[in-house]
C-alpha cells in the first residue's frame, strides 16, 4: 500500500510538470501574439511594445518570490506551513486556473474588440506563481521520494513530462494537417479551429500557418462535393 501511494505521488508530480509546462511555454510565444492582436496596450496615449511583455514572466517571478517566502515563513511560525508536496499541488491548481483569465478575455473579445492587457498579466502572474511552486520544488521532491538507486530514472521522467507539456496541443494542429493533405477539408477546418480556439496553443509560427491553412481548407471545403455523385459546388463568391 505504501508503494502504491508513493507511485501515485510520483505520477501526480509528473502530471503537475506537464500541466505547468503546457502553460508556461506559451508565455513567450502564443500569449505574445494575443497581446499583439487582441489587447489594448495603450497607456496615456503611448502604446507599449509587445517585446516588453516577453520580459514580464521573469520580472513577475522576482516580484512574487519574496511574497511567497513571507507567506510560508508566517505559516511556519504558526506551525501551519504546508508540506513540499502540498505546495507543488497548489502550484498545479494555479497552473490549471491560469487559463481562466485568457478564457474570460477571449469571451469579452468575441466581437472583435480589444480587451485589457490586465487579463494577460493576471495569467502570467499565475504562471509565475506555479513556476515557483512546481518547477522549483518538483524535481527535488521526485528524487527525495524515489529509491536511491532510481534517482536518475525519476529525474529523467520529469524532463519527459516537460517535453509532453510542450506538445500538448500540437496534436490538434498535426491532425488538421493530415486531414488537409488527405482532402478531408471539412474535418480539417474543425481541427484548425479547435487549435486556434485555445489562445495558448502552439508556437507563434504554428498559429500563423494554422490561420493560413484554415482559410485554404474553408475555400476548398466550399467547392468540395458532399458525395461522389454530386458535382463540385460553386464557390460562394461566384454564385449568382
Amino acid at each position: 500500500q505504501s508503494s502504491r501511494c508513493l507511485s501515485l505521488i510520483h505520477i501526480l508530480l509528473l502530471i503537475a510538470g506537464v500541466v505547468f509546462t503546457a502553460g508556461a511555454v506559451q508565455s513567450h510565444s502564443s500569449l505574445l501574439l494575443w497581446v499583439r492582436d487582441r489587447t489594448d496596450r495603450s497607456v496615456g496615449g503611448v502604446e507599449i511594445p509587445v517585446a516588453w511583455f516577453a520580459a514580464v514572466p521573469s520580472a513577475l517571478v522576482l516580484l512574487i518570490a519574496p511574497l511567497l517566502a513571507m507567506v510560508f515563513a508566517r505559516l511556519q511560525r504558526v506551525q501551519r506551513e504546508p508540506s513540499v508536496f502540498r505546495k507543488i499541488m497548489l502550484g498545479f491548481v494555479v497552473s490549471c486556473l491560469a487559463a481562466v483569465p485568457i478564457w474570460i478575455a477571449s469571451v469579452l473579445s468575441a466581437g472583435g474588440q480589444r480587451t485589457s492587457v490586465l487579463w494577460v498579466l493576471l495569467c502570467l502572474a499565475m504562471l509565475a506563481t506555479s513556476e515557483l511552486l512546481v518547477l522549483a520544488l518538483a524535481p527535488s521532491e521526485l528524487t527525495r521520494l524515489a529509491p536511491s538507486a532510481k534517482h536518475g530514472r525519476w529525474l529523467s521522467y520529469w524532463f519527459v513530462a516537460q517535453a509532453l507539456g510542450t506538445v500538448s496541443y500540437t496534436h490538434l494542429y498535426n491532425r488538421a494537417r493530415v486531414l488537409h493533405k488527405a482532402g478531408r477539408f471539412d474535418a480539417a477546418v474543425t481541427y484548425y479551429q479547435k487549435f486556434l480556439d485555445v489562445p495558448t496553443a502552439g508556437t507563434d509560427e504554428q498559429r500563423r500557418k494554422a490561420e493560413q491553412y484554415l482559410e485554404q481548407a474553408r475555400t476548398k471545403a466550399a467547392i468540395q462535393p458532399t458525395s461522389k455523385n454530386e458535382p463540385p459546388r460553386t464557390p460562394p463568391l461566384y454564385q449568382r
Side-chain angles (χ1 to χ4, degrees), residues 63 72 82 89-90 92 117 148 171 179 195 200 205 215-216:
L63 291 173
F72 290 136
M89 289 298 100
L90 175 61
F92 168 57
V117 75
S148 58
H171 72 282
L179 293 170
F195 176 76
T200 59
E205 183 179 358
E215 294 304 318
Q216 295 176 10

Side-chain angles (χ1 to χ4, degrees), residues 31-53 114-118 120:
L31 279 178
L32 294 181
L33 292 177
W34 178 271
V35 170
R36 184 194 68 185
D37 300 333
R38 309 289 290 274
T39 62
D40 181 9
R41 293 177 279 116
S42 298
V43 178
V46 178
E47 188 174 67
I48 302 175
V50 176
W52 288 18
F53 289 89
R114 292 176 177 265
T115 58
S116 173
V117 75
L118 293 177
V120 177

Side-chain angles (χ1 to χ4, degrees), residues 122-133:
L122 178 58
C123 173
L124 293 176
M126 297 175 75
L127 289 175
T129 303
S130 63
E131 179 176 350
L132 292 166
L133 295 174

Side-chain angles (χ1 to χ4, degrees), residues 61-181:
V61 168
L62 295 176
L63 291 173
I64 295 173
L67 298 178
L68 280 179
M70 290 171 56
V71 170
F72 290 136
R74 186 178 181 86
L75 291 175
Q76 187 180 33
R77 284 195 296 269
V78 296
Q79 298 182 351
R80 298 190 65 178
E81 183 183 10
S83 64
V84 174
F85 176 73
R86 289 185 178 181
K87 290 178 182 177
I88 296 171
M89 289 298 100
L90 175 61
F92 168 57
V93 173
V94 174
S95 298
C96 296
L97 295 178
V100 174
I102 299 299
W103 175 77
I104 295 175
S106 66
V107 172
L108 294 176
S109 64
Q113 64 271 27
R114 292 176 177 265
T115 58
S116 173
V117 75
L118 293 177
W119 292 111
V120 177
L121 293 178
L122 178 58
C123 173
L124 293 176
M126 297 175 75
L127 289 175
T129 303
S130 63
E131 179 176 350
L132 292 166
L133 295 174
V134 177
L135 187 62
L137 300 177
S140 60
E141 186 71 356
L142 268 175
T143 54
R144 185 184 71 83
L145 296 175
S148 58
K150 298 181 179 179
H151 282 178
R153 177 186 299 179
W154 279 103
L155 191 58
S156 68
Y157 292 161
W158 170 256
F159 292 107
V160 171
Q162 287 190 298
L164 291 174
T166 62
V167 298
S168 56
Y169 292 112
T170 307
H171 72 282
L172 293 174
Y173 175 80
N174 292 338
R175 178 63 175 168
R177 292 299 297 136
V178 170
L179 293 170
H180 193 154
K181 293 177 180 179

